[in-house]
Amino acid sequence: MRRIRRAKILATLGPASHEEKMIEELAKAGADVFRINMSHASHELLHQTVARIRAVEARLEHPIGILADLQGPKLRVWKFAGGSVNLVPGQTFTLDSEQNDQGNAERVYLPHPEIIESVSVGDRLLLDDGKLQLKATKVGGGAIETEVVYGGKLSDKKGVSLPDTLLPTGALTEKDHADLLEALKAEVDWIALSFVQRPEDIIDVRKIVQGRAGVMAKIEKPQAIERLEEIVKLSDAIMVARGDLGVELPLETVPGLQKRMIRMCRRYGKPVIVATQMLESMITSPVPTRAEVSDVSIAVFEGADAVMLSAESASGQYPVEAVATMNKVAVAVEGDANYRAIIRAAQTEPEATAADAISAATRQVAETLDLAAIVTYTASGSTGIRAARERPSKPIIALSPNLRTIRRLSVVWGIHCVQTEDAVNLEDMVDRACVIAYQEGFARPGDRIAITAGVPLGTPGATNMLRIAFVRQDGAGSS
């Protein structure tokens, strides 16, 4: 299964798509990575879904990545006596620690003492995805007294967002900790951490994961934006989680932040995924709006590694059509006359390491000599990611003996992954690269390919060699 596009597609699985037959249809339509949302998945369903994805992977003989997305701290108000209340702008409304009574139009129980302890006078509290806004006027005595800025109907257990408040709690709740351990047991490839606020949140998760999966930070809090560079450096990948980001920050700032995050991730060689409401109307419609197509196009033009579907593929009426639409949009953008120039304009200087210098040189050599493909031998995946960071116009084939590396790279821009044994010597390395480039349909006899690897062979993270090889009539190579 060879993709003709470079940007990858993540599809969320849910009630509309967790059966094995549907997973296979989504993979054939273009899904490269499947997301399991731990907000809705039990441990039993997690293992069942992973088994189904792996069965599809074996049948299609194509590596598929799996992302377990942790729920994160969900902050909610408690219940109201009548199920809901109507808040009027200018009125006083109190959130307190009185668990005994149900809420009314004057007050409601807030089962999160950390919020009551952390909020300061003047801080905003956003309720129900930002539809209602409160401003803290008095704090203390186990309660937050607020003035209603934007009112409306507030019903039981609606979410609370705190754009102005840094909470002392980490991003990993007890539920997340249990889900994380179960996801590692199920051998997922990526762990996504929700509501990251500080670099320490990533460090805490890394201690538990210990390299068994990639750690992806979801950027959806203003506090994370303030320390973005530190978080990017510590993470294996970044997700631009535009849903909550657009609740806690002014909506008009989100597109600029998206661009900034994509470029920062490119600079540091970290995969970046753009997510949330990309084809939202396809939850109920077989075709997207023009604005949604434009939105997906912008992410692809910017050079994002992947674009993601949430409810569109998890609970929508047209999951396969949504993936197929995203695939068509990405293919069209990458074939556009302006695409290369836009991608090249965001090119960053290689870091002062042998591996980065060789990756940059490989791109230039491949394009100058019009080579058929770039083949990278990668044990840990870092060589493949470095090659992708350069955004070459030529296909990248990543070869690794490690199946987990191959699956993890399925989220990275432009990489076609193949599992193969480590080469025993340089001649075997050239032959193997040429044969695979030929078999996978990237090179014909007489074509040339670029090969990068670390010598001695099999040494992780030690890319120090660039070789140009001819593909012979029998598909093997000569250099």
Side-chain angles (χ1 to χ4, degrees):
M1 263 185 27
R2 178 187 164 187
R3 306 284 192 218
I4 57 170
R5 61 174 153 77
R6 311 300 171 82
K8 300 296 178 70
I9 295 173
L10 272 79
T12 304
L13 297 179
S17 54
H18 64 248
E19 295 300 330
E20 194 172 311
K21 186 176 183 298
M22 179 57 82
I23 293 170
E24 185 168 344
E25 282 187 50
L26 293 175
K28 285 177 177 175
D32 301 288
V33 181
F34 288 110
R35 170 178 172 254
I36 301 170
N37 188 350
M38 297 310 297
S39 298
H40 308 297
S42 65
H43 291 176
E44 183 186 359
L45 183 60
L46 166 72
H47 285 283
Q48 194 178 59
T49 307
V50 169
R52 288 169 179 170
I53 295 167
R54 293 302 178 223
V56 169
E57 178 185 63
R59 219 167 21 253
L60 297 179
E61 296 181 339
H62 181 77
I64 296 172
I66 301 175
L67 168 73
D69 195 334
L70 304 180
Q71 178 178 286
K74 286 287 183 187
L75 309 173
R76 300 182 187 279
V77 297
W78 200 237
K79 296 178 181 178
F80 295 93
S84 68
V85 294
N86 196 59
L87 301 185
V88 181
Q91 78 163 83
T92 298
F93 187 71
T94 304
L95 299 99
D96 60 38
S97 46
E98 298 294 323
Q99 190 173 355
N100 307 328
D101 304 321
Q102 289 194 309
N104 54 42
E106 281 79 46
R107 60 156 296 279
V108 71
Y109 169 53
L110 185 64
H112 304 286
E114 68 273 19
I115 295 181
I116 294 171
E117 290 162 15
S118 304
V119 167
S120 303
V121 171
D123 283 3
R124 289 170 297 158
L125 293 89
L126 307 177
L127 309 176
D128 192 9
D129 284 340
K131 295 185 183 77
L132 295 89
Q133 184 176 316
L134 314 177
K135 187 176 181 182
T137 54
K138 186 179 173 185
V139 180
I144 306 167
E145 195 174 287
T146 72
E147 180 190 337
V148 177
V149 180
Y150 298 122
K153 182 183 173 184
L154 179 62
S155 50
D156 295 347
K157 292 194 168 183
K158 287 298 178 187
V160 182
S161 298
L162 302 154
D164 305 326
T165 311
L166 181 66
L167 294 176
T169 52
L172 205 64
T173 64
E174 276 184 43
K175 170 182 161 48
D176 292 333
H177 193 272
D179 289 348
L180 171 56
L181 294 177
E182 207 62 37
L184 292 172
K185 199 184 292 181
E187 297 190 352
V188 305
D189 308 296
W190 287 94
I191 300 290
L193 185 62
S194 298
F195 301 110
V196 171
Q197 292 190 98
R198 46 176 90 75
E200 291 77 12
D201 295 337
I202 304 296
I203 294 166
D204 292 345
V205 174
R206 279 204 171 287
K207 285 175 186 170
I208 301 166
V209 173
Q210 294 183 335
R212 288 175 285 174
V215 177
M216 185 182 292
K218 292 172 68 178
I219 307 299
E220 48 197 334
K221 299 281 290 178
Q223 293 80 7
I225 297 294
E226 288 167 19
R227 303 185 69 180
L228 186 61
E229 200 156 353
E230 294 169 81
I231 290 168
V232 168
K233 286 178 180 177
L234 284 168
S235 306
D236 295 312
I238 292 292
M239 185 189 291
V240 186
R242 305 180 307 176
D244 280 283
L245 203 56
V247 171
E248 300 209 9
L249 284 162
L251 276 171
E252 64 275 12
T253 65
V254 174
L257 286 170
Q258 176 178 311
K259 269 185 164 51
R260 182 179 152 203
M261 283 188 255
I262 291 172
R263 292 186 180 196
M264 188 180 287
C265 289
R266 176 106 174 260
R267 188 164 80 244
Y268 288 111
K270 302 294 172 84
V272 58
I273 293 89
V274 177
T276 325
Q277 296 182 330
M278 299 214 81
L279 296 174
E280 185 85 350
S281 67
M282 289 194 76
I283 295 170
T284 54
S285 166
V287 291
T289 67
R290 298 347 176 228
E292 287 166 345
V293 170
S294 182
D295 182 38
V296 174
S297 297
I298 287 166
V300 178
F301 268 123
E302 274 288 305
D305 287 80
V307 283
M308 191 177 102
L309 295 165
S310 300
E312 302 96 327
S313 58
S315 54
Q317 295 171 28
Y318 302 97
V320 176
E321 289 84 349
V323 171
T325 297
M326 213 162 224
N327 181 66
K328 282 190 287 188
V329 172
V331 169
V333 168
E334 291 174 15
D336 188 276
N338 292 311
Y339 175 71
R340 272 281 122 215
I342 293 169
I343 287 288
R344 187 64 66 240
Q347 193 79 40
T348 56
E349 287 298 310
E351 290 182 33
T353 66
D356 273 294
I358 283 184
S359 296
T362 304
R363 175 192 61 77
Q364 193 166 8
V365 166
E367 290 173 359
T368 302
L369 299 179
D370 195 22
L371 305 183
I374 294 166
V375 181
T376 69
Y377 282 86
T378 181
S380 63
S382 64
T383 307
I385 289 169
R386 279 195 182 93
R389 174 181 179 263
E390 294 297 318
R391 299 292 188 265
S393 61
K394 303 300 178 183
I396 306 166
I397 307 169
L399 308 182
S400 180
N402 187 342
L403 182 57
R404 299 193 77 164
T405 295
I406 289 295
R407 287 169 173 162
R408 205 178 293 183
L409 287 173
S410 57
V411 80
V412 181
W413 185 95
I415 293 188
H416 178 83
C417 305
V418 179
Q419 187 184 16
T420 180
E421 292 172 18
D422 254 336
V424 292
N425 53 41
L426 288 177
E427 188 183 345
D428 180 37
M429 183 191 75
V430 171
D431 274 351
R432 196 181 293 268
C434 289
V435 166
I436 290 171
Y438 173 69
Q439 287 175 342
E440 298 288 317
F442 290 93
R444 298 185 301 263
D447 284 345
R448 290 178 296 175
I449 62 171
I451 304 165
T452 66
V455 179
L457 297 169
T459 309
T463 308
N464 56 12
M465 189 204 76
L466 165 59
R467 195 88 168 250
I468 297 166
F470 273 99
V471 180
R472 298 199 308 252
Q473 290 300 319
D474 57 359
S478 61
S479 54

